[in-house]
Amino acid sequence: MRNRNNRLICTSEYVSINGIDQFLYHLGTSFDNPVMLFLHGGPGSAESLFTGLFQDRWEEIYTVVHWDQRGAGKTLTKNPDKLPTIDLMLQDLFEVIQYLKKKYNKKKVVIFGHSWGSVLGSIFIRKHPEEAEYYIGAGQVIGMVENEQVAYNKLKEVIEQAGDKKSLKKLESVGEYPGSKIVFDKEFLRKCNIVHKLLGKYKLGMEMGIDIWIAMFKSPIFKFSDIIAFMKIFKANSKVHSFLGDFNLRRESKEYKVPVYYILGERDWQAPRVVAEDYFKDIKAPSKDIFIIPNAGHFLMMDQPDLVFDALSKISKKEKSRQYSNN
């Protein structure tokens, strides 16, 4: 594997986790830095191929480890029949952290959750607060039904303001959306596809620009099997989608035992920034802070890499200071 930046730490490997070989990709500049475990989105959308777009400066302050989760990326390619449930993924996550703590001689790790990864991370830090130094949620998901309702309402407002009758007719053809509970069946997916295409048209949703695909092909760990894995993720993650459809952080206690930080894209309506901001106001944690990244959407790390790095630097400094004062 090519070590593009001549990093001290540059390793890709398969590790036996919870009975199957799972893929980890490590990048960093010092064994003394905190270890950050990056939980990717989806479910099933491994982001280990895109590190070149946003991560170079992160590696100066963290050893960043990408994990292709069960049902995603290289782990899915290696284990096409070992498919995820939420319970399996939480156990996988626990075992990955045990492996990283031993490998890097750390007592805890920093957990960074993006999109679906923010769901997995938020559940995990409630279940195992002793494993996390602190938690960072990016594109933080609060609840799927609320997220889709807020995104739909914003989209309708923008389309009406634009006087776009054709798009409004398309949107209204969806009918009630998303309903009181999300079930990932064919009918919901049909409606979801219409809504999210319109979100993309008005730059309110997820944008996969050409630069993202170029970065994927240039990645030192890219293989053509990664494309095949990406095409299989929806079917592979069907049981996790069932869980995700009913997910709602507001039903849980707002008290956290670990520091919590959110980094949100100002124009993110995929996981609406306004929903996460509203929820964040009421949480209680040993330390907390929120960073709104201007002119950034759901892929905020790729939209504004320098500003996201600035937020991470502030979080890192704040945590070092807090830990120093506690000792």
Side-chain angles (χ1 to χ4, degrees):
M1 184 186 69
R2 191 170 75 254
N3 186 349
R4 184 168 49 87
N5 292 328
N6 295 316
R7 295 306 205 206
L8 175 65
I9 301 164
C10 181
T11 309
S12 64
E13 61 177 346
Y14 287 92
V15 178
S16 180
I17 298 292
N18 200 13
I20 65 171
D21 288 343
Q22 303 203 33
F23 181 78
L24 299 175
Y25 184 31
H26 313 245
L27 291 163
T29 56
S30 170
F31 286 100
D32 293 330
N33 284 340
V35 172
M36 172 190 281
L37 177 58
F38 188 109
L39 303 181
H40 65 69
S45 300
E47 293 171 65
S48 51
L49 294 169
F50 307 125
T51 58
L53 282 174
F54 64 89
Q55 193 181 284
D56 286 355
R57 294 176 70 196
W58 296 24
E59 295 158 23
E60 300 295 335
I61 54 176
Y62 297 105
T63 297
V64 187
V65 181
H66 285 258
W67 162 44
D68 286 13
Q69 299 160 21
R70 185 185 295 254
K74 297 178 189 297
T75 298
L76 175 58
T77 299
K78 193 92 164 173
N79 308 275
D81 300 320
K82 304 295 185 183
L83 303 180
T85 64
I86 186 61
D87 290 337
L88 276 173
M89 293 185 88
L90 287 167
Q91 182 60 31
D92 289 351
L93 175 50
F94 180 84
E95 292 193 20
V96 168
I97 290 174
Q98 304 318 302
Y99 172 77
L100 294 177
K101 289 196 305 183
K102 186 175 180 181
K103 181 179 179 72
Y104 291 103
N105 192 26
K106 305 292 183 185
K107 293 180 180 178
K108 300 179 181 183
V109 303
V110 176
I111 296 177
F112 183 104
H114 176 231
S115 194
W116 150 254
S118 74
V119 174
L120 188 60
S122 295
I123 297 168
F124 185 83
I125 60 171
R126 291 181 178 287
K127 195 176 177 73
H128 297 289
E130 73 285 354
E131 301 295 337
E133 198 78 62
Y134 49 95
Y135 168 76
I136 302 169
Q140 177 72 43
V141 176
I142 305 303
M144 283 300 295
V145 171
E146 183 180 8
N147 277 5
E148 293 298 312
Q149 284 173 339
V150 169
Y152 177 92
N153 292 340
K154 176 66 175 178
L155 177 61
K156 188 174 182 183
E157 175 193 317
V158 169
I159 289 174
E160 286 174 340
Q161 286 173 351
D164 183 351
K165 292 181 181 178
K166 187 178 177 182
S167 291
L168 187 60
K169 190 175 180 181
K170 272 187 189 175
L171 187 64
E172 289 176 343
S173 74
V174 167
E176 184 187 0
Y177 184 84
S180 58
K181 184 178 178 181
I182 292 175
V183 178
F184 283 86
D185 56 14
K186 284 185 179 178
E187 180 58 15
F188 172 74
L189 291 174
R190 182 189 69 81
K191 293 179 176 182
C192 184
N193 188 47
I194 293 169
V195 171
H196 284 263
K197 276 187 176 177
L198 289 170
L199 283 168
K201 177 181 176 180
Y202 280 91
K203 300 198 181 299
L204 300 172
M206 199 160 52
E207 299 168 61
M208 293 283 283
I210 189 69
D211 55 334
I212 290 178
W213 297 108
I214 291 170
M216 179 180 77
F217 287 117
K218 284 185 173 180
S219 171
I221 60 169
F222 171 76
K223 292 183 178 179
F224 281 101
S225 56
D226 296 321
I227 297 174
I228 297 167
F230 187 77
M231 293 166 67
K232 294 178 178 178
I233 62 173
F234 193 81
K235 188 175 180 181
N237 288 273
S238 59
K239 289 183 179 177
V240 182
H241 279 114
S242 297
F243 165 81
L244 185 58
D246 194 42
F247 175 75
N248 188 349
L249 267 181
R250 294 191 191 275
R251 290 199 292 257
E252 309 295 329
S253 165
K254 290 186 175 67
E255 292 197 19
Y256 290 80
K257 293 181 180 176
V258 302
V260 175
Y261 300 96
Y262 283 1
I263 308 177
L264 309 173
E266 183 184 37
R267 55 177 178 81
D268 185 358
W269 294 93
Q270 184 86 15
R273 179 258 307 168
V274 293
V275 176
E277 261 191 301
D278 179 68
Y279 170 81
F280 187 84
K281 287 186 294 190
D282 297 326
I283 72 170
K284 294 178 182 175
S287 178
K288 70 173 196 173
D289 209 345
I290 188 167
F291 301 85
I292 310 300
I293 307 301
N295 196 30
H298 194 57
F299 281 120
L300 59 160
M301 307 89 66
M302 303 177 198
D303 291 338
Q304 296 288 352
D306 290 340
L307 295 180
V308 171
F309 174 76
D310 289 345
L312 288 175
S313 294
K314 288 173 184 173
I315 292 168
S316 175
K317 287 172 185 173
K318 183 174 181 178
E319 278 299 308
K320 282 179 181 175
S321 174
R322 195 179 69 83
Q323 289 163 19
Y324 180 79
S325 64
N326 287 343
N327 289 336

